[in-house]
């Protein structure tokens, strides 16, 4: 108690050094509520206020900090009056010292935010009147003075450069000063939105925007100082959503002068008195399609803003104002087309506003979400919490609207396709804007929106459609996908086995393979008067048998034909000196392997890897051979993959002395053949396929099967599900209204049909 009394006495000491030391100690202890109670009860608040009004230098900085901390404890409001507010505003405008500006802004934040936090008035502790008078503690409880934005109006009027200086502080190198400045701006915005009239708060917001607050905050959101400014930046982002939501909730009403002026401006900017060649028509009669020519559905446009409200009108008028010449040119181009081919400009603008509104989740308030503050505890989560592109709403709307026109033109859309183009735009904005990293510049976003490939956009749309089905019907889709994968696996197994049943030629490239316990069939088909061999250019050439035999014997290259028996129990094969033009029969294949004796099929063809469509790295060129006139080499396009080795047990071996041996070696000369035979043999032995080509084929068959099932939706299911799978041409989704609604599918005409054809509509 004695220490606090001594500290209070030093606050009024005549020497500045004593006062400075006293108030320096005060700022470190005043945050303790019990200390603050004693300090106020002994009359220290009045002396602290006097220092805030009269001191300078560090003494002033410490005094302002101490007073702001008292206000944060909801104490000391009795001494907040116009004199103190005027002094603090003056300091912000005229004083350059950062430590003084921090305390001054903290005081104003508390004053402006006071109604938002409860509009409470701190009550001093009860005490005898004599004690109160003795210590000079005489709070004015009967007239506590104004709070909120209205409390600052007289001081701001006396210092009109206050807001400009406040916004300029956002570019300060001192992060704490930036945070205090932005916090004060947030408080002013919130109080104006909540408590000012419908005519006043838009003017204040417009003034802040004209001073460059959007650009300054956008830079801060993309900076590396995000950790120090996280909470005020997040609050500004949330207030931006509040503004957008408030503008959206304002209904367009022609009874309001501001709304009538905006609509009239749209009409005049469209150059209604220009002819199709761009020249004045000379006639100023009322146009029968005054609003429909701008892209509205009717001649009463006010109701068409219902979904996006005044926000949609603001976006449309902003686009027209900034691109008036382009807007007029576009209208002339569209009006020269047949009515069903025109792009409805106004509807497109409102649709883009709606898409952006949904993309940024404007209806969700981040500042009231407790999870958001947990996100801020981790720096790695900033990418998800902060959306700086939200501040560039106008530029995003313009870029997206231009992209809408481009998609309309590229797809040759008609008025009935509007919802389909809408869905494409929704996918485009989600991809470019929704998934953009925090540090991505808005110019890069605009360029990407303008240059995005339409074909890639359609692929993304199908992927998102599948993801949406996965989210809604995840369990059912997983079950269907598993069933389809089993069906696809059986389908591919049958296809691979049919390749074995068809048979294939394999080159025999070394003496070991030619003499590996198997006989060689000379000549092959005796009825053939010639043999086929590859020339140097890869073509086929028929030569007489003797010349062909000499060449093959000299080159040392033989061919082996392998074929699966019809009962799928034996693998027949035979070696030939040349690849024949006709397929050998099973009777001509003198060797066979009983598949019941096969123990394993070995190959180092790599197994399927994620996102891998081929295994060409396992293929190696055939060994080069000397080329001359009499010995043409194999075709250069032929490749020899890693050999496939079939292991098993001799058929006459007893179980006691059975030893695994090599039954057959194959050298596929293309990757496709290697995949077909390796996986075909494995699947024939009831083992899983391992090559990427087979895995990809199974995935493709499964994917198409799933899409076919998803598109096989009855028209009544779309109504019951609140949407639908849309139809093939719609790219999935079928627009915003989904399915066929309350009408059945359109019955196809039988015109030009002269046979007994019928249509299956899956009804």
């Amino acid at each position: 108690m004695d220490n606090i009394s001594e500290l209070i006495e030093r606050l009024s000491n005549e020497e500045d050094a004593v006062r400075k030391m006293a108030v320096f100690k005060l700022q470190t202890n005043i945050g303790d509520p019990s200390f603050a109670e004693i300090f106020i009860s002994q009359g220290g608040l009045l002396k602290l206020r006097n220092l805030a009004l009269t001191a300078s230098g560090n003494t002033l900085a410490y005094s302002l900090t101490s007073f702001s901390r008292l206000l944060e404890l909801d104490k000391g409001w009795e001494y907040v009056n116009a004199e103190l507010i005027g002094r603090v505003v003056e300091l912000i405008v005229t004083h350059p010292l950062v430590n003084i500006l921090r305390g001054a802004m903290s005081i104003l934040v508390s004053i402006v935010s006071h109604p938002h936090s409860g509009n409470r008035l701190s009550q001093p502790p009860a005490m005898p009147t004599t004690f109160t008078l003795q210590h000079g503690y005489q709070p004015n409880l009967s007239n506590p003075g104004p709070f909120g934005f209205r409390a600052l109006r007289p001081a701001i009027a006396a210092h009109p450069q206050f807001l400009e200086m406040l916004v300029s502080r956002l570019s300060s190198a001192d992060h704490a000063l930036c945070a205090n400045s932005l916090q004060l701006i947030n408080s002013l915005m919130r109080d104006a939105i909540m408590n000012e009239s419908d005519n006043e708060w838009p003017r204040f917001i417009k003034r802040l925007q004209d001073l460059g607050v959007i650009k300054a905050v956008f830079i801060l959101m993309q900076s590396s100082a995000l950790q120090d400014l996280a909470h005020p930046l997040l609050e500004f982002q949330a207030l931006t959503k509040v503004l957008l939501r408030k503008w959206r909730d304002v209904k367009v009403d022609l009874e309001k002068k501001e709304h009538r002026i905006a609509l009239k401006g749209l009409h005049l900017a469209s150059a209604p008195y220009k002819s199709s060649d761009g020249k004045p028509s000379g006639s100023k009669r009322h146009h029968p399609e005054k609003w429909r020519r701008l892209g509205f559905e009717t001649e009463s446009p006010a109701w068409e803003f219902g979904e996006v409200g005044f926000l949609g009108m603001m976006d449309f008028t902003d686009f027209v104002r900034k691109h008036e010449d382009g807007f007029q040119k576009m209208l002339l181009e569209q009006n020269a087309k047949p009515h069903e081919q025109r792009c409805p400009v106004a509807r497109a603008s409102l649709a883009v506003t709606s898409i952006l509104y949904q993309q940024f989740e404007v209806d969700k308030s981040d500042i009231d979400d407790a999870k958001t503050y947990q996100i801020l505890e981790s720096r790695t989560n900033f990418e998800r919490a902060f959306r700086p592109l939200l501040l560039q709403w106008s530029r995003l709307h313009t870029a997206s609207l231009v992209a809408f026109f481009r998609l309309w033109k590229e797809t040759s859309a008609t008025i009935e396709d509007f919802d389909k183009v809408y869905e494409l735009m929704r996918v485009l904005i989600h991809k470019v804007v929704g998934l953009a990293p925090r540090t991505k510049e808005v110019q890069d976003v605009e360029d990407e929106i303008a240059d995005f490939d339409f074909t890639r956009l359609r692929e993304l749309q199908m992927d998102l459609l599948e993801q949406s089905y996965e989210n809604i019907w995840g369990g059912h889709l997983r079950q269907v996908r598993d069933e389809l994968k089993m069906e696809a696996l059986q389908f591919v197994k049958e296809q691979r086995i049919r390749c074995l049943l068809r048979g294939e030629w394999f080159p025999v490239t070394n003496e070991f393979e030619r003499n590996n316990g198997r006989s060689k069939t000379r000549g092959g088909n005796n009825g053939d008067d010639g043999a086929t061999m590859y020339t140097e250019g890869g073509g086929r050439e028929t030569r007489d048998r003797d010349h062909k035999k000499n060449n093959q014997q000299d080159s040392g290259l033989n061919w082996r034909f392998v074929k699966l028996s019809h009962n799928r129990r034996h693998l027949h094969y035979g070696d030939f000196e040349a690849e024949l033009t006709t397929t050998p029969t099973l009777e001509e294949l003198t060797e066979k392997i009983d598949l019941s004796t096969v123990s394993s099929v070995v190959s180092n063809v790599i197994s399927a890897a994620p996102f891998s469509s081929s295994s060409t790295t396992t293929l190696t060129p055939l060994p080069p051979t000397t080329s001359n006139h009499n010995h043409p080499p194999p075709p250069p396009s032929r490749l020899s993959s890693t050999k496939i080795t079939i292991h098993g047990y001799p058929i006459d071996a007893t179980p006691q002395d059975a030893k695994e041996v090599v039954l057959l070696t194959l050298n596929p000369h293309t990757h496709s053949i290697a995949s077909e035979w390796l996986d075909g043999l494995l699947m024939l032995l009831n083992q899983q396929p391992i090559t990427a080509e087979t895995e990809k084929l199974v995935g493709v068959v499964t994917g198409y099967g799933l899409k076919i099932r998803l598109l096989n939706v009855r028209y009544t299911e779309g109504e019951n599900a609140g949407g639908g799978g849309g139809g093939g041409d719609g790219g999935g989704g079928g627009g915003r209204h989904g399915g066929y609604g309350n009408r059945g599918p359109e019955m196809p005409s039988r015109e030009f049909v002269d046979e007994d054809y019928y249509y299956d509509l899956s009804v």
Side-chain angles (χ1 to χ4, degrees):
M1 183 74 68
D2 294 337
N3 292 335
I4 297 178
S5 302
E6 183 180 353
L7 184 66
I8 294 174
E9 291 178 1
R10 290 181 179 180
L11 291 178
S12 58
N13 194 285
E14 295 181 356
E15 296 184 10
D16 182 65
V18 176
R19 295 196 303 269
K20 182 192 301 184
M21 182 58 64
V23 77
F24 175 77
K25 294 181 179 179
L26 178 63
Q27 71 172 354
T28 60
N29 297 305
I30 198 68
D32 183 359
S34 59
F35 181 94
E37 289 284 353
I38 299 174
F39 177 80
I40 293 174
S41 65
Q42 294 189 8
L45 185 56
L46 178 61
K47 295 182 179 181
L48 178 62
R49 176 179 176 275
N50 291 335
L51 281 179
L53 292 174
T54 59
S56 61
N58 287 334
T59 305
L60 174 61
Y62 302 149
S63 301
L64 295 174
T65 302
S66 300
F67 201 95
S68 67
R69 290 177 181 175
L70 267 179
L71 296 181
E72 291 173 2
L73 293 175
D74 201 18
K75 300 179 183 297
W77 292 107
E78 302 87 334
Y79 289 98
V80 175
N81 55 17
E83 183 182 8
L84 179 64
I85 294 174
R87 166 70 168 167
V88 173
V89 170
E90 180 184 7
L91 290 174
I92 292 176
V93 173
T94 61
H95 216 287
L97 292 181
V98 172
N99 55 351
I100 292 177
L101 293 175
R102 290 177 190 167
M105 289 183 182
S106 297
I107 291 175
L108 290 187
V109 168
S110 298
I111 293 173
V112 176
S113 303
H114 191 59
H116 181 71
S117 60
N119 198 19
R120 299 181 303 272
L121 181 64
S122 59
Q123 298 293 337
M127 62 191 69
T129 304
T130 56
F131 183 85
T132 302
L133 295 177
Q134 178 182 353
H135 293 84
Y137 183 67
Q138 299 177 358
N140 185 5
L141 298 179
S142 60
N143 186 19
F147 300 105
F149 187 22
R150 63 184 182 276
L152 273 62
R153 286 189 181 279
I156 293 178
H159 301 87
Q161 67 273 35
F162 170 75
L163 290 178
E164 181 180 356
M165 293 298 297
L166 188 60
V167 173
S168 68
R169 304 297 185 191
L170 295 177
S171 58
S172 172
D174 186 84
H175 295 169
L177 180 59
C178 287
N180 288 352
S181 301
L182 185 55
Q183 195 172 358
L184 179 54
I185 291 174
N186 292 339
S187 300
L188 293 173
M189 289 176 58
R190 186 193 310 110
D191 189 78
I193 294 171
M194 299 301 176
N195 300 317
E196 297 294 326
S197 65
D198 292 340
N199 295 328
E200 293 296 330
W201 70 263
R203 296 177 184 175
F204 175 71
I205 300 299
K206 180 66 167 55
R207 186 178 177 189
L208 283 177
Q209 292 175 345
D210 293 341
L211 291 173
V213 68
I214 296 296
K215 180 180 179 180
V217 176
F218 181 79
I219 293 174
L220 289 176
M221 276 194 179
Q222 292 191 318
S223 69
S224 58
L226 198 61
Q227 184 81 27
D228 300 329
L229 304 170
H231 289 283
L233 284 175
L234 185 64
E235 186 179 9
F236 188 89
Q237 179 175 289
L239 287 172
T240 302
K241 290 186 177 183
V242 171
L243 282 173
L244 293 171
R245 188 162 60 246
K246 196 172 182 68
W247 278 318
R248 196 278 309 265
D249 293 339
V250 175
K251 302 301 181 183
V252 175
D253 185 2
L254 296 183
E255 297 296 327
K256 297 181 179 179
K257 181 179 179 181
E258 182 182 10
H259 296 187
R260 289 198 308 271
I261 292 175
L263 277 177
K264 185 177 180 180
L266 289 175
H267 173 64
L268 295 178
S270 68
Y273 307 117
K274 283 187 179 180
S275 59
S276 58
D277 58 0
K279 298 179 180 179
S281 62
S283 174
K284 294 189 177 182
R285 293 181 304 169
H286 177 73
H287 199 289
E289 295 185 350
K290 175 180 178 180
W291 297 112
R292 281 196 288 263
R293 62 183 290 273
L294 268 64
F296 292 100
E297 293 187 81
T298 67
E299 289 300 306
S300 301
W303 71 272
E304 297 186 38
F305 291 92
E307 183 179 350
V308 291
F310 190 66
L311 176 63
M313 177 177 285
M314 290 172 57
D315 289 343
F316 192 21
T317 54
D318 184 69
F319 170 78
V320 172
R321 178 175 55 83
K322 294 179 180 178
H323 305 84
E324 185 171 346
D325 293 339
F327 175 63
Q328 294 176 5
K329 181 180 178 181
M330 185 178 301
L331 289 181
L332 292 175
E333 291 177 354
Q334 297 302 320
N335 291 328
K337 297 179 180 180
H339 182 271
E340 62 275 4
Q341 297 180 6
R342 298 176 186 174
C343 177
V345 180
R347 288 182 61 194
S349 175
L350 301 183
V352 169
T353 299
S354 177
I355 294 173
L356 289 175
Y357 193 90
Q358 297 170 17
Q359 179 60 55
F360 286 111
E361 298 178 319
V362 177
D363 283 330
K364 179 182 177 182
S365 178
D366 295 333
I367 200 65
D368 295 329
D369 190 352
K371 295 181 180 179
T372 304
Y373 287 100
Q374 297 177 3
I375 290 175
L376 293 180
E377 298 301 324
S378 173
R379 189 180 184 87
T380 58
N381 291 325
F382 284 167
E383 297 292 337
R384 295 190 296 114
F386 292 94
R387 307 290 297 276
L389 289 177
L390 175 67
L391 308 182
Q392 303 293 341
W393 182 280
S394 179
R395 294 180 63 175
L396 292 180
H397 178 271
T398 298
S400 301
L401 184 54
V402 173
F404 192 103
F405 301 146
R406 179 174 64 87
L407 286 177
W408 186 278
K409 184 176 181 180
E410 289 184 3
T411 58
S412 301
T414 64
I415 197 66
E416 294 181 354
D417 300 322
F418 184 88
D419 285 340
K420 298 175 183 178
V421 180
Y422 172 92
E423 290 297 325
L424 284 175
M425 277 304 307
R426 189 168 59 85
V427 174
L428 176 60
I429 292 177
H430 170 74
K431 172 64 178 177
V432 180
V433 179
L435 302 181
R438 176 181 60 86
T439 56
K440 191 168 187 177
E441 292 294 336
V442 64
Q443 182 62 51
D444 296 335
V445 173
E446 291 174 326
D447 294 341
E448 189 173 351
I449 291 176
D451 300 333
F452 208 92
D453 182 63
F454 168 69
T455 305
R456 184 181 169 209
L457 184 60
R458 290 283 286 140
E459 295 173 355
L460 287 173
Q461 186 182 30
M462 293 303 297
D463 293 341
L464 288 175
L465 171 66
E466 187 172 345
Q467 291 177 15
S468 64
Y469 282 128
E470 183 74 32
N471 294 334
I472 299 174
W473 302 329
H476 299 289
L477 279 182
R478 282 190 292 272
Q479 180 180 355
V480 171
R481 188 179 289 108
D482 292 341
E483 294 175 358
L484 289 173
K485 186 173 182 180
M486 294 300 299
E487 294 177 6
L489 200 60
Q490 291 300 317
F491 172 81
V492 174
K493 176 180 179 180
E494 185 63 25
Q495 186 271 337
R496 293 307 195 216
I497 293 177
R498 285 179 182 270
C499 292
L500 273 61
L501 290 169
R502 184 185 65 219
E504 186 59 58
W505 289 97
F506 297 92
V508 182
T509 58
N510 58 63
E511 190 67 22
F512 172 77
E513 293 181 16
R514 291 197 296 271
N515 299 310
N516 191 17
R518 290 171 291 279
S519 63
K520 186 186 305 178
T521 302
R522 297 287 183 182
N525 187 353
N526 296 327
D528 189 6
D529 58 356
T532 302
M533 56 188 305
Y534 285 93
T535 66
E536 188 171 346
R540 292 182 180 269
E541 180 176 296
T542 304
R543 303 183 182 273
D544 60 88
R545 179 181 302 278
D546 294 336
H547 187 67
K548 178 267 299 178
K549 187 178 298 184
N550 292 334
N551 287 343
Q552 294 294 336
Q553 289 173 350
D554 292 340
S555 65
L557 175 64
N558 293 309
W559 293 89
R560 176 175 296 149
F561 188 82
V562 187
K563 185 177 183 179
L564 182 66
S565 63
H566 300 301
N567 59 11
R568 306 185 181 188
R569 296 181 180 178
H570 297 85
L571 199 63
H572 295 258
Y573 64 93
D575 290 355
F576 299 81
E577 292 179 346
E579 183 180 357
L580 306 181
T581 57
T582 59
T583 301
T585 63
L586 291 178
E587 289 75 15
E588 295 177 284
L589 304 177
T590 58
E591 303 290 341
K592 68 177 181 179
I593 297 175
D594 189 345
L595 292 178
S596 63
T597 65
V598 175
S599 59
S600 62
V601 180
V602 179
S603 175
N604 60 350
V605 176
I606 63 173
S607 59
F611 309 109
S612 175
S613 61
S614 66
S615 303
T616 55
T617 55
T618 66
L619 304 182
T620 57
L622 285 172
T625 59
T626 304
S627 176
N628 54 49
H629 179 71
N630 296 324
H631 303 88
S637 61
R638 288 279 182 120
L639 294 176
S640 178
S641 71
T642 305
K643 64 182 180 181
I644 300 173
T645 306
I646 302 175
H647 294 271
Y649 301 98
I651 194 169
D652 55 349
T654 61
Q656 291 77 11
D657 58 355
K659 184 178 181 180
E660 190 178 54
V661 297
V662 176
L663 300 179
L664 185 63
T665 300
L666 305 177
N667 291 282
H669 47 77
T670 68
H671 179 68
S672 296
I673 295 176
S675 176
E676 291 171 355
W677 278 79
L678 176 59
D679 287 333
L681 290 170
L682 290 172
M683 299 172 86
L684 193 62
L685 299 174
N686 295 320
Q687 298 181 27
Q688 290 296 318
I690 64 171
T691 66
E693 188 171 322
T694 299
E695 290 290 339
K696 180 180 179 182
L697 183 57
V698 172
V700 169
V701 175
T702 303
Y704 277 112
L706 182 62
K707 288 181 173 63
I708 290 172
R709 289 204 182 184
L710 291 177
L711 293 174
N712 187 23
V713 180
R714 298 177 185 270
Y715 72 89
T716 54
E717 293 177 1
E719 179 182 356
N720 295 333
D729 294 337
R736 285 173 287 179
H737 306 295
Y740 292 99
N742 295 323
R743 57 182 177 86
E746 182 179 354
M747 300 299 293
S749 171
R750 292 190 59 81
E751 187 178 2
F752 306 118
V753 177
D754 53 4
E755 298 291 341
D756 292 333
Y757 294 113
Y758 68 95
Y759 299 91
D760 183 6
L761 297 177
S762 300
V763 177

